[in-house]
Amino acid sequence: MPPPRKVDLLPAELRLWLQEELKSRGFGDYVALADALNTRLEEDGLELRIGKSAIHAFGQEYEHFVKAQEQASAWAAGWMNDNGLEEEAKRHNVLFQMITTLAFKVMQSQMMKEGDEIDARELHFLGKMLKDVMSSSGIREKLMEEERERIARETRERAAATVEKHARSAGMTAETVEGIKAEILGVSA
């Protein structure tokens, strides 16, 4: 087993700092970034030193991840907007972004392969993941239908109450009023 990369030995706080610095420097300026990182390591009393090449390798990998995440996020946002899921996207953004990022990365890796290099298991899991995401849309549709039915029921109830009030004031019998109400509500009198 190969030894861990030096970047993987960084404390979490410094790894986050490195990631932010890579983004802010446009994934470049590796010599200055290596100097800044090693200065921080020294100030923190750590003996670990990381060279420009190690930071460059990590930076390239991280840049690829960031771009894949941005592409997946843009795709997800477009898909959500196309399907009228803006509010749901706000509530489930983190989970959905994680799933779409993973799906996008798997799709990208599979698209670069040829014939016998393609792992059928990865495609199976990708299909299952996408099916689950799509089925959540079905759940959303069911919830929206239930909401539409609730609104229609409440509207009918308000209308029936208004008609009942006016019918009674017009002197209709209780039986006639109940018949009209039942007709509006769609129930037997």
Side-chain angles (χ1 to χ4, degrees):
M1 177 193 262
R5 300 179 309 175
K6 286 187 175 184
V7 172
D8 294 334
L9 299 174
L10 285 172
E13 173 188 308
L14 282 178
R15 191 172 312 121
L16 289 173
W17 174 86
L18 177 59
Q19 290 171 341
E20 289 302 316
E21 284 296 309
L22 283 164
K23 286 192 278 189
S24 71
R25 295 173 189 236
F27 296 95
D29 197 18
Y30 289 105
V31 173
L33 188 52
D35 290 341
L37 177 61
N38 288 321
T39 299
R40 287 192 64 147
L41 287 166
E42 190 174 328
E43 288 171 356
D44 288 354
L46 300 171
E47 293 185 20
L48 178 66
R49 298 296 173 263
I50 300 178
K52 173 190 76 84
S53 297
I55 294 174
H56 183 264
F58 177 76
Q60 295 295 302
E61 179 184 299
Y62 186 61
E63 181 179 17
H64 179 72
F65 171 76
V66 167
K67 283 183 179 178
Q69 194 172 28
E70 287 171 353
Q71 289 172 328
S73 181
W75 172 81
W79 185 82
M80 291 286 210
N81 287 334
D82 291 348
N83 290 288
L85 301 172
E86 297 88 2
E87 288 302 314
E88 188 170 333
K90 289 176 186 171
R91 289 190 304 273
H92 301 291
N93 187 38
V94 173
L95 179 60
F96 194 82
Q97 187 171 9
M98 289 170 54
I99 290 172
T100 54
T101 299
L102 289 172
F104 194 78
K105 286 179 80 170
V106 170
M107 285 189 293
Q108 273 189 322
S109 71
Q110 292 299 317
M111 288 171 35
M112 294 178 180
K113 295 179 181 179
E114 295 184 22
D116 59 346
E117 296 177 329
I118 296 174
D119 185 351
R121 290 176 302 194
E122 286 186 37
L123 293 177
H124 167 75
F125 291 130
L126 174 62
K128 182 169 178 10
M129 185 177 9
L130 292 175
K131 177 183 167 249
D132 291 345
V133 169
M134 297 307 290
S135 72
S136 73
S137 177
I139 292 168
R140 180 190 159 275
E141 289 301 319
K142 181 181 176 198
L143 292 173
M144 286 180 67
E145 180 59 31
E146 289 172 358
E147 181 66 7
R148 282 191 289 269
E149 288 174 6
R150 182 191 65 77
I151 291 170
R153 184 179 59 252
E154 288 176 0
T155 301
R156 285 190 308 271
E157 289 170 356
R158 281 193 302 275
T162 301
V163 167
E164 179 181 16
K165 176 182 159 190
H166 291 295
R168 287 193 190 278
S169 68
M172 293 185 176
T173 67
E175 186 176 282
T176 303
V177 171
E178 287 305 313
I180 294 171
K181 237 175 92 176
E183 186 71 29
I184 293 171
L185 294 173
V187 295
S188 307

